[in-house]
Amino acid sequence: PQAPSRPSRLFALCVIMRRLLSYVAPQLPTILAGSLLLLFATLAELGVPSVAGALLDIYTNASAGDEQVGSRVDRALLRLMGLIAGMSACKHAGEYLLKSAGERAVVEVRSRLFLCQLTCSVQSLEEQPTGHLLSSLTAGSDAVRLCVTHHLPQVARSVASCLVA
């Protein structure tokens, strides 16, 4: 058999992506919220070096008799701690939202696939090798989970880093 041509592979990919989006569509608000939180966490992470640099500047430029160094160091440390705390909260909340949306999408995929298997004719089920249906069901649902919980946040982080840097 010949390998599928490039346009047919592209068409198949478009069909797969359209199906994936139909499975994930009910979870889209949760996915967007989680992605935005991860975007904020990435932006905060990119701001940490400048805040830490300001703290180091205070130490290196301080004179021996300067009495306000302590209060400036305290303010800089509070900014740094607030930035790190906000970054951590946004990151964990975003990851939680994406994981929960991914799990709900997997439940939707599994239930749709199970209903399709129930409506298949017995002859079509007998033609499949032993374990093929279960392994394809597991592989498909794992691909959806991985796409929503891992690949989507990576794209959001990469885009944010490119736009800011």
Side-chain angles (χ1 to χ4, degrees):
Q2 291 181 337
S5 66
R6 189 174 185 99
S8 66
R9 282 187 283 173
L10 184 61
F11 178 73
L13 180 64
C14 289
V15 169
I16 290 170
M17 290 306 294
R18 189 173 60 221
R19 281 187 183 171
L20 177 63
L21 288 175
S22 72
Y23 297 144
V24 177
Q27 309 306 324
L28 202 56
T30 307
I31 291 170
L32 289 176
S35 297
L36 278 175
L37 285 171
L38 286 177
L39 178 70
F40 292 147
T42 301
L43 293 175
E45 189 175 346
L46 292 172
V48 168
S50 66
V51 175
L55 180 63
L56 289 175
D57 287 343
I58 292 170
Y59 276 121
T60 56
N61 296 331
S63 60
D66 195 0
E67 297 171 359
Q68 295 180 353
V69 171
S71 64
R72 291 192 320 205
V73 167
D74 288 345
R75 284 193 304 267
L77 280 175
L78 283 175
R79 277 186 292 199
L80 186 62
M81 288 180 359
L83 188 62
I84 291 173
M87 177 184 65
S88 298
C90 286
K91 182 178 179 183
H92 290 294
E95 287 176 354
Y96 171 76
L97 287 175
L98 285 176
K99 285 181 182 177
S100 65
E103 290 298 325
R104 286 191 296 262
V106 167
V107 166
E108 177 70 21
V109 168
R110 285 186 177 171
S111 64
R112 284 187 187 185
L113 286 174
F114 184 71
L115 288 174
C116 286
Q117 287 177 353
L118 288 178
T119 59
C120 287
S121 67
V122 175
Q123 181 183 4
S124 66
L125 293 176
E126 287 178 349
E127 293 172 357
Q128 300 294 324
T130 305
H132 177 72
L133 293 175
L134 184 59
S135 65
S136 63
L137 177 68
T138 303
S141 59
D142 286 343
V144 170
R145 181 185 306 119
L146 187 64
C147 179
V148 172
T149 61
H150 181 70
H151 296 301
L152 195 66
Q154 287 292 50
V155 168
R157 285 184 186 139
S158 299
V159 168
S161 296
C162 289
L163 291 177
V164 174

